[in-house]
Every structure is written in structure tokens, then in C-alpha cells.
Amino acid sequence: MSRKLHKILGYYVPAFFEMHVDTDADDLTINKLKPFEMTVLFHEYIHFLQDFATYYGLNRIYVYSEYMHSVINRIYRNSFDNKICVPIKIEDNADNVLLNQQIQNFTSGDDGGEYGIKDFTISDIIEDSDPLIDNPYMTSIPNVIVSSSEGDMVIFGAIAITESMAYIMERLCSPSAFKKSPSFPYRAAEMVADYYSPHFSDDPLMVLALCDMAQMSSNPGACFVRVMKGIQSGQLSFNSPEEIYDHFYDQISMTMEGEQSTLLLGFQRLSNVVKQQLKNYLRNMPILDTYYEWIDRLFNFAWEWRKNDRYFLLKMARHHDLSTNGAFGFCICNVGTPLMSNNRGSYFKISPKGMNVDIDVEYFKAFSQVEQLFSQGLKGCALYEWCCKSPQSTPSELCLSTPWKKVKEERLCPYALLWKHWNLSKYDVV
């Protein structure tokens, strides 16, 4: 799975609530940044909102969480002589982890490489499918193959849609400060929409609404194209972006269990599961009340948005000045920011209004480090530079090679706290 959404001027780390802004500024307070820097931060902040306020974003968190749960249980069962051999490769689908990861990879699609594809003109779109490992639910997953006149061929999936949506928001909300980005993935959704219905993207809010609602599905690329084909054939017609939202909210779907569902019911079910998963990373630790409160804030905010203010994103997009954008400010007031970093290696965050300033989102950086240890065999901890600048931290050479051994120290860093809390103290890594 992609670790970072496309990075040119910044990046966001899905499922772990972290973003980077290409700036040397030592203060990432929104209104203290230069307009261009503020615009980059805003783009990455949209990815943050996509992470916990869309079905696809929640499902990605679910997949990572299930992987961690599976790996730790396998360590308990299978590690001999208290040794953990990394990377840990799961070779069976006993707990559906492999299936979940495969579907996630297929539906993510392509990002166009490190720097994107500058010139991309669609010449053809083919709907295909990828075969899945044996399972009782489905045999394949639909995909969308897009070919360009320049000879490129890419999969149009969730990455292209999330980047297209963030780029539309960036251009609408900061029209004088955004920088032109490569056609793919940043204008992919607009180009695909126009392929099926010429001039559909003349109103970018129409594409924005469809991008947002496509992410409320488990396969955004296929969902996006299905709607555009409906418009092409005349089966669907929308006169405003609001009507696109209404169409999705009014749809009745069927679950794999044969039960009727709606967009809100499906979102609510998955939200409840993922919220508990995130809390279970650090279960039953009263000293971490702010961590639990921050998670509650995220999920309560997302539910209120999706249930009671379905056009919220349109309100944000229709205000063309970031420094006075009330909807943007409302988000920061209620949920704060993810963990933010600059080019100097410094970290920042803005806490939600009314919350005590304590460690909350920072734990997800530690989660990502342990996950990368298990999945990739990366043994050093990327929190080292940050801890060196933190007055109460105890960084040492262990951080760079064997951070799990810090579990023996009296004051536990976030990494060591996880290692101990997950009952891994007796294990060494080889």
C-alpha cells in the first residue's frame, strides 16, 4: 500500500495522520504562513479530512489495523526463543488480511510516479478487473485503465481521485497562490469526467462533489466512472453539485450479507469499528485521556458532517480566500491538525479548541514506525530527530538501530510504550 499520498510540494501519510509541508518556517500556524505555504498546507489538510471522513479513508485505516492485529497475534503464537524475524510476511488468508491488502492495492490505482505525469491527454478508458485470492466473497475487483495520447497507461483509482479533489479545493480556495501541478494525478478526475461528458469539468464543483462521493465507496475509481457513464447514456442528470450529493445519499445498496444499506448506514458502521480499533492501539490507559478524546473528536466531527451537513465541502470550496475561510477554520477548531513537519525536521500540531495540549496524534507516528518494522524490516525510529528536540525525551543510539530495547528504560518514549503495551517486552528483533 502507498505510504504517502503523492509528494511534490508536501505529502500526507494515510492512516497515520501525518503531513509534511515544503517550508522552512518554524511556525505552521495557518495565518502566519506565506500564501503559497498556506495553500500547500491546505492541500494536505484536505487529505487529512479524507482519511477519517470518507468510507475509503476509514477502510484504509481498518486494513492497517487488521494487519497489525494479525502480526502481533502471530508473534505470540509463532516466535521461537523470543525472536521476531522481520519483515514479517503473512502467507495465508486465515484472517482476511491478505485479501484486504490486495483489494486496497488494486483500488488505490496509480499516482503517476514520484513527480506525476506532466502532460496527459486521455485517448481511451477501459474497464477491466483484477483477480483476487480465493475467498468466499468475490472473485475479482473492477478497475479502470486510462491510456493517454502520449503513450502512458495508468489505473484510475482512489489516489488519483483524492489528489484531484485536493487540487480542485486548492485552486478554488486559494486562486492566487496555488502552483500548477502535473496533469496526472492532479487533474485526472476532471479529465475522466470530460471523457464521458465533454465540459462536465467546466464547473469544478461538479467534479469535486463526485470525487467526494466516490470516496464514500470501497472502490472510488469504479464508482466515479459508473456515474459518469450514467451521465453519458442519459440515465443520470445533475444540474448542480448538490444534486450529486443527493443522488448518493438516496441510493439503497446491498451488503455482502444481503441486507439493505445506505451511504450513511455503511459509513456509520465502519466508523464505529475503526474508532474502536484506534482506541485499542492503546487500550485502557487512563493517562491517555487526550488520545481517546482526540479520536472521539475526529469521528464525531465526521459523523456530524456527513449526517447533518452533506454540502459542507461545497461551502468551503465556494470561499476563495484561505485566510478567512470559515469552513476551513471550523475544521481546525474542532479537530485540530494532523502531526505536521517542515523541511527542518521540526514537528508541529494545532490542538482542537478546548482540548488540553498533550500527546495524542503523536502516537500515530510511533504506530507507523512499528508497522514499518513489521512490514518492511525498517529498524530505526524516525522519531529520533524530534525526540532530540523534546526536553523530556531520552534519545540515544538505540533509537537508530534497536528502539524496542528502550522498553527497559524508566521513562518510556511513544515507541517503547507501544512495545510494552502490546506485550512485546520479552521479544528481540532480528
Side-chain angles (χ1 to χ4, degrees):
M1 286 180 285
S2 178
R3 303 285 162 179
K4 299 173 182 175
L5 288 180
H6 207 262
K7 51 179 183 177
I8 291 182
L9 302 173
Y11 62 78
Y12 181 78
V13 184
F16 296 106
F17 305 123
E18 178 189 352
M19 72 187 214
H20 176 79
V21 179
D22 183 16
T23 178
D24 292 329
D26 285 325
D27 186 349
L28 293 189
T29 303
I30 311 300
N31 286 331
K32 293 184 180 180
L33 293 173
K34 298 175 183 177
F36 164 68
E37 295 169 335
M38 188 190 305
T39 303
V40 174
L41 186 150
F42 176 68
H43 179 108
E44 305 308 332
Y45 193 87
I46 294 298
H47 291 322
F48 169 56
L49 296 179
Q50 292 166 339
D51 216 7
F52 67 89
T54 69
Y55 187 94
Y56 192 83
L58 289 176
N59 193 63
R60 180 169 45 210
I61 297 173
Y62 173 84
V63 172
Y64 274 110
S65 179
E66 287 295 285
Y67 168 78
M68 294 290 283
H69 183 75
S70 176
V71 164
I72 291 172
N73 282 334
R74 289 165 190 261
I75 290 172
Y76 296 155
R77 294 195 305 264
N78 303 325
S79 294
F80 302 102
D81 300 323
N82 295 334
K83 301 290 186 182
I84 303 174
C85 296
V86 296
I88 299 172
K89 185 176 181 180
I90 296 178
E91 298 181 343
D92 63 77
N93 191 43
D95 42 17
N96 283 331
V97 167
L98 286 184
L99 177 63
N100 289 336
Q101 290 180 331
Q102 189 179 41
I103 293 173
Q104 188 74 40
N105 287 331
F106 286 155
T107 56
S108 290
D110 292 321
D111 63 4
E114 185 175 0
Y115 299 106
I117 302 174
K118 182 179 179 181
D119 298 311
F120 193 97
T121 307
I122 294 179
S123 60
D124 193 21
I125 296 179
I126 300 172
E127 292 179 82
D128 200 355
S129 63
D130 290 303
L132 297 172
I133 58 178
D134 289 340
N135 70 89
Y137 309 108
M138 60 184 78
T139 59
S140 62
I141 193 81
N143 67 31
V144 179
I145 303 172
V146 180
S147 300
S148 77
S149 304
E150 296 79 14
D152 294 296
M153 183 178 291
V154 294
I155 303 296
F156 175 70
I159 293 175
I161 288 174
T162 56
E163 291 294 359
S164 293
M165 174 176 153
Y167 190 50
I168 290 172
M169 292 293 293
E170 180 183 340
R171 284 150 45 205
L172 291 175
C173 296
S174 188
S176 62
F178 79 90
K179 284 194 175 182
K180 186 176 180 180
S181 294
S183 297
F184 191 92
Y186 295 99
R187 298 194 79 119
E190 292 170 85
M191 292 187 294
V192 170
D194 287 344
Y195 177 86
Y196 290 103
S197 179
H199 304 294
F200 185 86
S201 71
D202 287 354
D203 182 356
L205 290 177
M206 298 288 282
V207 184
L208 174 68
L210 184 51
C211 284
D212 189 25
M213 288 293 93
Q215 290 175 79
M216 294 300 281
S217 74
S218 58
N219 192 345
C223 176
F224 189 99
V225 166
R226 183 171 64 251
V227 172
M228 289 310 308
K229 287 182 70 176
I231 294 172
Q232 181 188 47
S233 68
Q235 294 178 324
L236 294 175
S237 178
F238 304 112
N239 295 311
S240 69
E242 285 83 358
E243 288 186 7
I244 294 177
Y245 278 98
D246 295 343
H247 167 76
F248 278 88
Y249 272 79
D250 292 342
Q251 291 294 301
I252 303 295
S253 60
M254 299 298 291
T255 67
M256 288 185 180
E257 294 77 22
E259 299 176 354
Q260 286 190 341
S261 185
T262 63
L263 178 147
L264 279 178
L265 281 175
F267 182 72
Q268 184 180 40
R269 289 192 192 105
L270 185 57
S271 292
N272 290 338
V273 170
V274 173
K275 179 169 70 171
Q276 195 56 51
Q277 283 181 320
L278 296 183
K279 290 185 176 183
N280 286 347
Y281 278 147
L282 291 167
R283 183 187 303 175
N284 299 329
M285 298 183 68
I287 62 171
L288 301 182
D289 281 347
T290 54
Y291 170 76
Y292 304 133
E293 182 183 351
W294 189 73
I295 292 171
D296 284 335
R297 289 236 184 178
L298 292 189
F299 285 84
N300 292 341
F301 179 83
W303 177 243
E304 285 298 315
W305 166 3
R306 295 304 184 184
K307 181 175 183 290
N308 297 321
D309 197 359
R310 66 178 68 173
Y311 311 135
F312 174 72
L313 206 63
L314 297 177
K315 296 178 186 177
M316 189 185 299
R318 285 171 171 145
H319 190 93
H320 308 309
D321 181 357
L322 275 182
S323 63
T324 60
N325 193 306
F328 181 32
F330 182 75
C331 294
I332 294 174
C333 180
N334 281 273
V335 298
T337 66
L339 188 63
M340 304 183 291
S341 64
N342 65 7
N343 293 337
R344 298 176 184 270
S346 300
Y347 286 87
F348 314 83
K349 72 174 181 181
I350 299 175
S351 295
K353 185 177 181 180
M355 264 191 67
N356 293 328
V357 179
D358 203 343
I359 296 179
D360 37 64
V361 67
E362 294 90 338
Y363 282 112
F364 288 94
K365 180 71 173 178
F367 298 152
S368 72
Q369 297 305 291
V370 178
E371 190 276 336
Q372 289 181 62
L373 171 70
F374 292 153
S375 66
Q376 302 179 55
L378 300 179
K379 296 182 179 180
C381 179
L383 286 162
Y384 177 73
E385 294 293 336
W386 177 36
C387 291
C388 286
K389 300 176 182 179
S390 301
Q392 295 185 344
S393 296
T394 57
S396 69
E397 290 299 314
L398 293 178
C399 306
L400 303 175
S401 56
T402 55
W404 55 89
K405 291 186 177 180
K406 290 178 69 67
V407 75
K408 299 175 183 178
E409 297 180 358
E410 181 178 354
R411 181 184 291 275
L412 298 180
C413 65
Y415 192 116
L417 177 66
L418 295 181
W419 204 258
K420 181 176 181 178
H421 187 69
W422 292 346
N423 294 319
L424 297 174
S425 299
K426 68 179 182 180
Y427 295 96
D428 196 9
V429 178
V430 294

